[in-house]
Amino acid sequence: MPIGSGRPLPVGRPPLFLGRNEELHAADTAARHVATVVGAVCREPVDTATVATITARTGGNPFYVWESARLLDSEGALVALSEVPQGVRDVLRRRLALLPDAALAAVRLAAAVGVEADVALLVEASDADEETVVEGLDAALAADLLAEAGPGRVGFVHALVRDTVYADLSGVRRSRLHDRIARTLHRQRPDDLAALAHHFARSGSAVNAPLAVEYALRAAELAERRYAHDVAVGLISQALDVHGAATDEPYADPDATLALLMRLLGAQLRAGATAAARRTRQQAVDLAVRAHRDDLVAAVYGAWTEPSPWRSRLEGFFDRTALARLERLARDHSLDGATRARVLQVLADAVAGEDAVRAGDAADAQLAVARSVGGPRLLASALMTSAKLLPYELQGATRPPLVAELRGLAAEHDLPAHRWVCEHLDAVTAAVRNEPAAVHKHTTAGLDLAHRYGMLWAHGINVTTLAMLAAIAGRFREAEERYAQAEELFQRVGAHHATGPRTLGLWTIRFTQGRTADIARSVREVHEAVGAPVAVAHALVLARQGRLDEARDVRFPPQPVTDHLYGMELDYRSELAALHADTDVAALLVDHLRPVRDQFGGAANAAYATRPLAHPLADLHRLLGEDGAAADAYALAERVALAWNSPHRAHAARRAAADMAADRDRRRTFAL
């Protein structure tokens, strides 16, 4: 059948002549059918994203779906979504073997291009004449291996067909095809940067390596301008792979390699992929250290300048060698001002959880250097660091002026990520002031920015805040659903604390509900995996179960960690002290709680919440025999709970106060 005949696609894919609504209906029907088959074959539940990918790869062909489902059930999604099932491969190979030579050559060339290809590109890139190429495409169309994807375009009827053809190409043939395609694209479409990078990279020619790197970086820059940061990460990673393959000795030219690594680090941060970013930074630091280049070490640390999900104790702390190196570089006044300011930012973040005073000093130094050096991004990063690392007792009064300056800077110089930071910081300031309506308002504004600029990591943080608000109000099912949604968003971008929202959110909810047994296993397993950062939660689970001796054996740092879980930890430590009747620890914790007694525990970081901190403070006063102070604190806890629209927490504070009063009356009666 000739090119441009308008023949419909095979059954399983929407015909090209359908209207948009009909196409959507056909696609939805195909997805439901695929889900039915996958559900029947697979022993474990399969998520909708995997079903959608199988639908796209198979085109809904029942045999292909069945074989893909079997592969999914036996080997898992990673294999099933990247490889062709053996049964499908055998069938396709038999069909391909029936093609005439011209058709097979055209199909192979099309497979090297991708799932779809322009006929003009295939004709020019082929080593055959135009009529031979077109005849070959006609034969492949008639065999239902290709379909017309639009005027002058052909595409494989299923991704599995393309994958089978491409996988069967020898390495030599594959490289030659990519080389011809790259050179044709270079003449036809010199602005198709991503395609040029892809084909030059796969041409296998060292001569083409510089072109592959250049086009990948240019394509990444274009993707970043469109806020497609995940696409940019893939392109820069590709450039690094090509550069590494073309470089015999990686330490011969550390400047070039590190320049690529730092570009990758920046893209990963903008995408929110903090776990990958930390690995990239470590790789770059190791290379700079081996090259004995302190200037490059400082430049690598200073590359972490973009807003990103905050550090969590679940990530672990900086190792001592890296921390000592950071501190030495922070004192090195021979560094240029911009680099030193960025090193100070990394140092402040690194020690924030362990030493708030040292973190504050580093943040102050960063801001001073940034103001003297100038530059909107440098100053914006410094303002962000100072605003987010303020001590808890200063956040309500000192943070707003810093955020106001940052907001003006971000608006003037079009810094969308820093604009989002302003909304988030205003939300946590509102939380410190017990203003949940303002928390919701700024979170909603942050969500709008996150959607508009494709910041999935920011979206995840905002959804976590909404989950926290629901949990405080007692809407526990909604809270659980939102924490699960936040975790999915973090996992999509590879954020380091991707296991946090669902796990930690569920812990706070179950502790609130008194359903400690439901989370006992989860808490124990996480404690075994990460150690001290969650030891307090594990000790509390044991103590609530009456296993006080085991709870005492759990070791954790003597001082609370002042990160985003600080309020939660104060609450849990206080309950532990009360359960153990430990008056010495209680007296120490009272000093920690007094400065934050007006706050709802944990809410000051807009992620997880426990109860008004005045409540555990009251419990400790009661343990210490200070009933008057305890009564005042219970009353404060009730007021804070009501301000947060948390009736169950207000009721708990009233009940605790009543219990204390009844106990006092019993003691008086007994004394008489």
Side-chain angles (χ1 to χ4, degrees), residues 41-179:
V41 173
C42 295
R43 289 164 290 184
E44 299 292 333
V46 178
D47 60 83
T48 55
T50 300
V51 171
T53 303
I54 290 177
T55 305
R57 282 175 59 77
T58 63
N61 180 292
F63 173 66
Y64 296 168
V65 172
W66 180 267
E67 291 295 312
S68 296
R70 290 178 59 196
L71 186 61
L72 174 65
D73 186 57
S74 61
E75 301 294 337
L78 183 63
V79 173
L81 302 185
S82 61
E83 296 185 8
V84 181
Q86 187 60 49
V88 175
R89 191 187 300 274
D90 291 341
V91 170
L92 291 174
R93 282 172 173 163
R94 286 196 293 271
R95 292 177 61 191
L96 289 164
L98 298 175
L99 291 176
D101 290 344
L104 187 57
V107 167
R108 286 170 172 169
L109 183 59
V113 173
V115 175
E116 293 187 3
D118 285 338
V119 174
L121 172 64
L122 296 175
V123 168
E124 188 170 344
S126 175
D127 54 4
D129 61 79
E130 180 175 354
E131 184 60 27
T132 301
V133 174
V134 173
E135 287 181 357
L137 292 174
D138 278 343
L141 286 164
D144 278 341
L145 293 168
L146 295 180
E148 293 185 66
R153 290 182 64 78
V154 293
F156 287 92
V157 291
H158 312 296
L160 295 178
V161 179
R162 186 263 173 184
D163 290 353
T164 297
V165 175
Y166 190 75
D168 285 350
L169 294 173
S170 67
V172 172
R173 186 186 294 273
R174 194 179 296 165
S175 296
R176 294 301 302 154
L177 291 176
H178 281 298
D179 185 69

Side-chain angles (χ1 to χ4, degrees), residues 539 542-543 547-556 576 579-582:
L542 294 171
R547 299 155 66 182
L548 295 178
D549 289 339
E550 293 177 64
R552 288 190 185 93
D553 290 338
V554 176
R555 295 287 173 259
F556 44 82
L576 269 174
L579 289 170
H580 289 305
D582 190 331

Side-chain angles (χ1 to χ4, degrees), residues 261-262 264-270 272-282 285 297-311 315 318 326 339 341-347 349 366 378 381-382 384-385 388 418 494-496:
L261 285 170
M262 285 189 283
L264 176 60
L265 173 62
Q268 288 168 332
L269 287 173
R270 286 183 283 276
T274 50
R278 293 188 197 287
R279 291 192 295 271
T280 298
R281 181 171 66 183
Q282 190 57 53
V285 167
V297 174
V300 170
Y301 280 126
W304 194 298
T305 58
E306 294 292 327
S308 60
W310 314 140
R311 281 186 61 82
E315 302 170 31
F318 256 62
L326 267 174
T339 299
R342 291 173 180 141
V343 169
L344 284 162
Q345 176 178 340
V346 179
L347 176 60
D349 284 334
Q366 178 198 1
L378 196 68
S381 293
M384 176 186 70
T385 305
K388 75 180 185 181
H418 288 92
H496 198 73

Side-chain angles (χ1 to χ4, degrees), residues 392 395-396 399 423-440 442-443 465 468-469 472 596 598-609 640 643-644:
Y392 277 74
Q395 290 176 0
R399 179 179 282 154
E423 298 299 342
H424 181 71
L425 290 175
D426 279 345
V428 297
T429 300
V432 170
R433 294 172 172 173
N434 297 319
E435 299 171 352
V439 175
H440 190 275
H442 290 295
T443 300
T465 302
M468 180 198 77
L469 289 171
I472 290 174
V596 292
D598 294 332
Q599 296 182 17
F600 204 108
N605 280 286
Y608 314 103
V640 171
W644 279 90

Side-chain angles (χ1 to χ4, degrees), residues 320-334:
R320 297 304 157 190
T321 301
L323 196 56
R325 187 185 298 126
L326 267 174
E327 290 177 322
R328 176 171 54 80
L329 291 170
R331 294 191 299 269
D332 187 353
H333 290 269
S334 68

Side-chain angles (χ1 to χ4, degrees), residues 374-390:
R377 285 190 175 274
L378 196 68
L379 181 55
S381 293
L383 289 167
M384 176 186 70
T385 305
S386 289
K388 75 180 185 181
L389 293 183
L390 282 172

Side-chain angles (χ1 to χ4, degrees), residues 512-550:
T512 298
Q513 295 172 321
R515 295 167 56 183
T516 309
D518 293 356
I519 57 172
R521 179 177 178 180
S522 169
V523 174
R524 185 187 72 248
E525 289 176 348
V526 175
H527 182 215
E528 290 171 352
V530 306
V534 297
V536 173
H538 189 203
L540 180 56
V541 166
L542 294 171
R544 280 197 179 188
Q545 293 177 325
R547 299 155 66 182
L548 295 178
D549 289 339
E550 293 177 64

Side-chain angles (χ1 to χ4, degrees), residues 371-615:
R371 289 195 188 283
S372 66
V373 172
R377 285 190 175 274
L378 196 68
L379 181 55
S381 293
L383 289 167
M384 176 186 70
T385 305
S386 289
K388 75 180 185 181
L389 293 183
L390 282 172
Y392 277 74
E393 61 271 19
L394 299 180
Q395 290 176 0
T398 308
R399 179 179 282 154
L402 293 169
V403 175
E405 183 179 357
L406 177 57
R407 189 182 290 277
L409 197 66
E412 180 182 356
H413 297 279
D414 191 23
L415 305 175
H418 288 92
R419 287 170 59 195
W420 178 88
V421 167
C422 290
E423 298 299 342
H424 181 71
L425 290 175
D426 279 345
V428 297
T429 300
V432 170
R433 294 172 172 173
N434 297 319
E435 299 171 352
V439 175
H440 190 275
K441 183 188 81 170
H442 290 295
T443 300
T444 302
L447 272 172
D448 180 63
L449 287 168
H451 283 303
R452 194 185 315 166
Y453 295 103
M455 297 183 290
L456 288 181
W457 60 269
H459 186 180
I461 292 175
N462 288 141
V463 173
T464 302
T465 302
L466 293 177
M468 180 198 77
L469 289 171
I472 290 174
R475 303 192 306 273
F476 298 124
R477 177 175 294 182
E478 176 191 338
E480 289 185 42
E481 291 173 352
R482 288 192 182 276
Y483 278 128
Q485 180 191 358
E487 182 166 307
E488 182 182 347
L489 287 164
F490 286 134
Q491 287 174 340
R492 283 171 60 187
V493 299
H496 198 73
H497 52 288
T499 57
R502 177 181 288 170
T503 302
L504 295 180
L506 189 62
W507 291 3
T508 62
I509 292 168
R510 294 294 181 263
F511 273 132
T512 298
Q513 295 172 321
R515 295 167 56 183
T516 309
D518 293 356
I519 57 172
R521 179 177 178 180
S522 169
V523 174
R524 185 187 72 248
E525 289 176 348
V526 175
H527 182 215
E528 290 171 352
V530 306
V534 297
V536 173
H538 189 203
L540 180 56
V541 166
L542 294 171
R544 280 197 179 188
Q545 293 177 325
R547 299 155 66 182
L548 295 178
D549 289 339
E550 293 177 64
R552 288 190 185 93
D553 290 338
V554 176
R555 295 287 173 259
F556 44 82
Q559 295 295 324
V561 178
T562 55
D563 66 355
H564 72 300
L565 304 180
Y566 177 66
M568 289 172 55
E569 184 175 347
L570 283 180
D571 191 351
Y572 294 167
R573 283 180 182 250
S574 298
E575 186 176 346
L576 269 174
L579 289 170
H580 289 305
D582 190 331
T583 55
D584 291 336
V585 171
L588 294 173
L589 286 170
V590 164
D591 290 336
H592 282 281
L593 285 164
R594 278 199 185 106
V596 292
R597 62 185 179 276
D598 294 332
Q599 296 182 17
F600 204 108
N605 280 286
Y608 314 103
T610 57
R611 55 181 173 168
L613 290 175
H615 194 137

